[in-house]
Amino acid sequence: NWTMEEFIGKEITRIREICGPKGRVIGAVSGGVDSTVAAKLMHEAIGDRKVVLGTKCRLILTPISQTYRFHAIMVDNGVLRMNEAQQVFDMLNKDLGVNLTVVDASDLFLSRLDGVEDPEKKRKIIGNTFINVFEEEAAKIEAEAEEEEKKGAEAKGRVEWLLQGTLYPDVIESISFKGPSATIKTHHNVGGLLKDMKLKLIEPLRELFKDEVRALGRLLSIPAPLVQRHPFPGPGLAIRILGPVTRDQVKILQQADSIYIEEIRKAGLYDQISQAFAVLLPVKAVGVMGDARTYEQVIALRAVQSEDFMTADWYAFPPAVLKRISSRITNEVSGINRVTYDISSKPPATVEWL
Ligand code: XMP
């Protein structure tokens, strides 16, 4: 029996003990609550405050003279939600003081996804490309560390640790269950990196459940909207675009999704819903605008309530909210002339469409 305050103190002490006075830690941040809480905890334990070099996340590189022991890395895979990379960058660097680099790898991801429609292939490509990009970034940090070690001064040591936001249910699952859901975690698998760079794992959340991580996040001053955020899959919008994934399709879905979530928040319904998102269908339907016919794509809206996502019920929105969302999406998102609402529960449907 322990309180969350005690947990923070105990965990920070433990991290400091295992890491010792030298040696760097790298960790991937997705913008979700687990990786953000893990990064903030690591920052509290061994971080030194980063000087914010600019307000745009693109192409910011940490100069060699400014050294940190903890390096958080976010990979922009081109299928994130609207402005997500920038928002996560601002929140971690400015609000939480965490040393986060955002790597814009969207061109690479989108080129590898070109023409791919099979969902499992999309997941594999995104998982593997994530590992490639993350390893490349880790190698850069290691090269800087080596450079510094040669200079002697101010050395923080080599990259020795990999931070992961693994929760207790993930620990259980990876021990006891190697079924289909193993693919869900594929994008987290940086096992090769562990071996090649001889990195040791640090998993500060491995004894916690999701609601405990949220409580921990609140204590660590992580902004409420992030702590309460709906889950977002690693393969991102790529599994919510049912046809080919292109920049144009991503943009359409980002706009529709952002209107949808904004209206849910405005209606005060966000916290009642376990997960809500828009899906872009690869079909065109006829519509009318002025006296002309249009022939454009269809958006499907999904919202579910669920305890553990093994089963889920579709959420019964007040009709006025759906009406507002539909009218905004069809008016504001060019390329969409029709919005439908998904009234399927899990089972037999799944939460995602792919
Ligand atoms: P399904 O569609 O299986 O979704 O009913 C259950 C939960 O899992 C999430 N999900 C994923 N998360 N990578 C992830 O990180 C994936 O490939 C993936 N597929 C589904 C889904 O968003 C829901 O919360």
Side-chain angles (χ1 to χ4, degrees):
N1 263 348
W2 35 263
T3 65
M4 217 24 107
E5 282 87 353
E6 284 164 356
F7 176 86
I8 296 179
K10 187 183 73 139
E11 203 47 39
I12 288 178
T13 310
R14 195 182 74 97
I15 295 171
R16 285 183 181 153
E17 272 168 20
I18 9 187
C19 292
K22 252 176 110 177
R24 293 171 202 246
V25 181
I26 56 172
V29 163
S30 67
V33 59
D34 307 343
S35 59
T36 304
V37 169
K40 176 67 174 165
L41 204 55
M42 187 53 72
H43 172 72
E44 293 297 321
I46 64 157
D48 20 25
R49 208 188 148 80
K50 177 175 183 168
V51 181
V52 175
L53 301 171
T55 51
K56 284 270 176 223
C57 65
R58 307 283 173 214
L59 301 176
I60 284 192
L61 288 178
T62 310
I64 286 172
S65 58
Q66 288 175 326
T67 57
Y68 314 100
R69 286 189 66 191
F70 174 51
H71 304 255
I73 299 163
M74 179 184 191
V75 176
D76 181 349
N77 58 14
V79 283
L80 300 176
R81 282 170 292 198
M82 194 186 266
N83 300 328
E84 190 162 21
Q86 183 71 51
Q87 281 165 13
V88 174
F89 177 82
D90 288 346
M91 187 190 60
L92 267 89
N93 279 286
K94 292 189 198 145
D95 302 343
L96 301 177
V98 175
N99 167 36
L100 171 77
T101 303
V102 175
V103 186
D104 179 5
S106 53
D107 283 337
L108 179 64
F109 279 88
L110 292 173
S111 71
R112 291 191 184 171
L113 285 168
D114 189 26
V116 179
E117 293 200 25
D118 176 69
E120 291 314 309
K121 280 196 185 130
K122 286 178 180 173
R123 285 186 167 86
K124 275 233 161 64
I125 290 169
I126 290 173
N128 291 336
T129 308
F130 171 85
I131 293 169
N132 299 155
V133 174
F134 186 79
E135 289 190 338
E136 205 172 286
E137 208 50 37
K140 278 188 206 160
I141 294 167
E142 181 65 347
E144 284 180 14
E146 203 177 336
E147 247 343 274
E148 255 174 49
E149 203 170 53
K150 277 187 203 145
K151 286 195 243 150
E154 216 204 335
K156 306 258 168 150
R158 304 292 279 272
V159 179
E160 289 178 22
W161 301 91
L162 177 69
L163 173 70
Q164 292 215 303
T166 320
L167 306 193
Y168 187 64
D170 305 329
V171 176
I172 294 304
E173 191 183 331
S174 64
I175 295 168
S176 63
F177 185 64
K178 294 264 181 274
S181 81
T183 55
I184 288 178
K185 301 276 153 44
T186 43
H187 66 289
H188 290 310
N189 182 359
V190 281
L193 188 71
L194 285 179
K195 263 192 238 131
D196 291 351
M197 288 177 73
K198 300 196 175 64
L199 297 185
K200 293 163 278 185
L201 264 189
I202 297 192
E203 299 177 306
L205 313 179
R206 59 177 290 121
E207 289 165 18
L208 305 183
F209 286 98
K210 195 80 181 188
D211 49 331
E212 295 174 315
V213 176
R214 293 209 170 99
L216 180 57
R218 281 187 280 267
L219 282 177
L220 291 168
S221 332
I222 291 170
L226 187 122
V227 169
Q228 286 307 118
R229 216 178 74 154
H230 294 169
F232 185 66
L237 301 183
I239 56 166
R240 295 174 179 173
I241 293 170
L242 268 48
V245 179
T246 63
R247 268 199 196 276
D248 286 348
Q249 294 283 282
V250 170
K251 197 169 157 221
I252 290 176
L253 184 55
Q254 280 178 334
Q255 288 172 342
D257 189 69
S258 143
I259 292 170
Y260 184 35
I261 301 300
E262 186 185 321
E263 289 299 328
I264 290 175
R265 283 196 190 280
K266 269 197 212 154
L269 302 174
Y270 189 85
D271 293 339
Q272 292 178 31
I273 297 169
S274 308
Q275 198 172 4
F277 54 89
V279 176
L280 181 57
L281 306 187
V283 288
K284 285 188 170 182
V286 173
V288 57
M289 195 158 75
D291 3 281
R293 278 157 84 80
T294 60
Y295 189 55
E296 290 176 329
Q297 271 178 285
V298 181
I299 281 283
L301 303 176
R302 182 90 166 120
V304 296
Q305 287 180 312
S306 174
E307 288 296 324
D308 55 5
F309 295 99
M310 301 298 284
T311 63
D313 289 324
W314 63 274
Y315 178 72
F317 272 110
V321 177
L322 282 180
K323 197 168 177 175
R324 205 157 43 238
I325 293 165
S326 159
S327 135
R328 279 198 61 195
I329 292 176
T330 47
N331 281 310
E332 295 174 33
V333 184
S334 100
I336 300 296
N337 65 4
R338 206 172 278 260
V339 174
T340 65
Y341 188 59
D342 181 353
I343 50 168
S344 334
S345 289
K346 173 182 180 177
T350 51
V351 175
E352 302 288 345
W353 279 44
L354 286 183

